[in-house]
Amino acid sequence: MKWGLALDQNRGPNDGGCNTCTPLVTVNSQTGAVSYPVDYYTLGHFSKFVAPGSSQVWSSNAPGLIDAAFVTPGRTLVLVAYNDSSNSRTFQVSWRGRSFGYTLPALAGATFTWPGSADPPGIGRSGRAPAGYTIAATQQIEASSYTQMSNIQSEQCTDTDDGFDIGYAADGSWLEYDNIDFGNGLSAVDVRWASAGSGGSLEFHLDSATGPMVAQGNFPVTGGWETWQTFPLPVSGAQGLHKLFVIFHGSGSGGLGNLNWFHFR
């Protein structure tokens, strides 16, 4: 979502809405100089290749990698991938029995295209193919590598791994992570959290936002939105392959806290 086409050097004018949103183009109100922030180029990764009428299809959201895949009306496959960590990431893209590997430097993105002669197996009217991947719950799962989310935002992070964290959380905000493999059962989850707001709680549910709760904990104010601390929580009933929902709760009006990553053990 790109909210502003052009703003000044102070991210204005502002009429009481978002005062941290970045534009596609920055115009200096004193000199008239025009500059192009990162939003201009990230939009280019999509708009140059994802034509109107395209359908989003399956993508994986592996730890440290954010990606989205599309099929255009002309049957071209488009994959946009971004490395949201401070280390290079090597990954493999698979499609209908063929694959290629690629390495993205830290905080780098790339767009890949290739011809798709026919619908891949499993894509129906929803436009989404069945997932064919799993993510081990014992890996560090970046909060920004969600599959879907509600009432929450990603933002740049200054923690050890850089990249993005998840913030602006309110009561009832949630994140979904698909195909998390808990194996034969795990007993704890470590959560990387920061708060300069009111603090809050997190609940971890399986399969839906109202599914079985496997972990829950209260998280305090840490002294800053980028003052990170790792908190362990006990886990019960997490085994096998599931969707994972992380739900924020709290009563603060200025934001509950930021989530960077979590991993189970």
Side-chain angles (χ1 to χ4, degrees):
M1 298 291 288
K2 305 297 185 183
W3 286 98
L5 289 178
L7 296 175
D8 65 19
Q9 69 275 16
N10 299 313
R11 297 181 180 177
N14 185 283
D15 193 28
C18 175
N19 58 10
T20 60
C21 295
T22 54
L24 295 177
V25 176
T26 297
V27 181
N28 189 293
S29 61
Q30 297 177 346
T31 67
V34 176
S35 59
Y36 300 90
V38 66
D39 303 73
Y40 177 87
Y41 298 98
T42 57
L43 181 62
H45 275 286
F46 292 91
S47 62
K48 183 176 179 178
F49 302 99
V50 183
S54 299
S55 296
Q56 183 182 0
V57 294
W58 169 76
S59 57
S60 64
N61 296 305
L65 287 168
I66 300 172
D67 57 77
F70 304 85
V71 178
T72 72
R75 310 311 303 163
T76 295
L77 278 299
V78 180
L79 174 68
V80 182
Y82 178 68
N83 176 2
D84 73 342
S85 75
S86 60
N87 300 309
S88 64
R89 300 278 184 173
T90 299
F91 58 95
Q92 188 175 59
V93 179
S94 298
W95 183 263
R96 306 198 73 178
R98 306 180 70 182
S99 64
F100 65 88
Y102 196 83
T103 299
L104 276 176
L107 304 178
T111 302
F112 307 89
T113 67
W114 64 96
S117 57
D119 285 335
I123 289 187
R125 292 184 180 180
S126 68
R128 297 182 68 89
Y133 69 97
T134 60
I135 296 176
T138 52
Q139 295 183 23
Q140 179 172 301
I141 298 175
E142 306 296 325
S144 58
S145 291
Y146 55 81
T147 307
Q148 297 189 63
M149 61 82 177
S150 175
N151 194 27
I152 209 163
Q153 297 180 40
S154 59
E155 58 184 3
Q156 286 194 318
C157 181
T158 61
D159 199 10
T160 304
D161 290 331
D162 296 322
F164 287 85
D165 61 65
I166 295 297
Y168 300 94
D171 185 57
S173 299
W174 56 262
L175 299 159
E176 176 189 340
Y177 305 86
D178 287 355
N179 302 306
I180 305 299
D181 188 358
F182 295 93
N184 295 324
L186 299 168
S187 60
V189 58
D190 294 323
V191 179
R192 192 71 167 165
W193 169 273
S195 176
S198 58
S201 67
L202 291 179
E203 294 179 355
F204 292 78
H205 291 254
L206 301 182
D207 301 322
S208 73
T210 58
M213 186 170 67
V214 296
Q216 186 274 337
N218 297 317
F219 296 88
V221 174
T222 62
W225 293 115
E226 294 291 320
T227 303
W228 296 98
Q229 296 182 30
T230 303
F231 298 92
L233 299 178
V235 171
S236 177
Q239 59 181 1
L241 187 65
H242 296 273
K243 292 183 178 180
L244 177 67
F245 285 77
V246 181
I247 304 172
F248 292 74
H249 288 294
S251 58
S253 59
L256 304 179
N258 294 345
L259 178 64
N260 191 2
W261 54 257
F262 57 88
H263 69 82
F264 290 79
R265 52 184 171 84

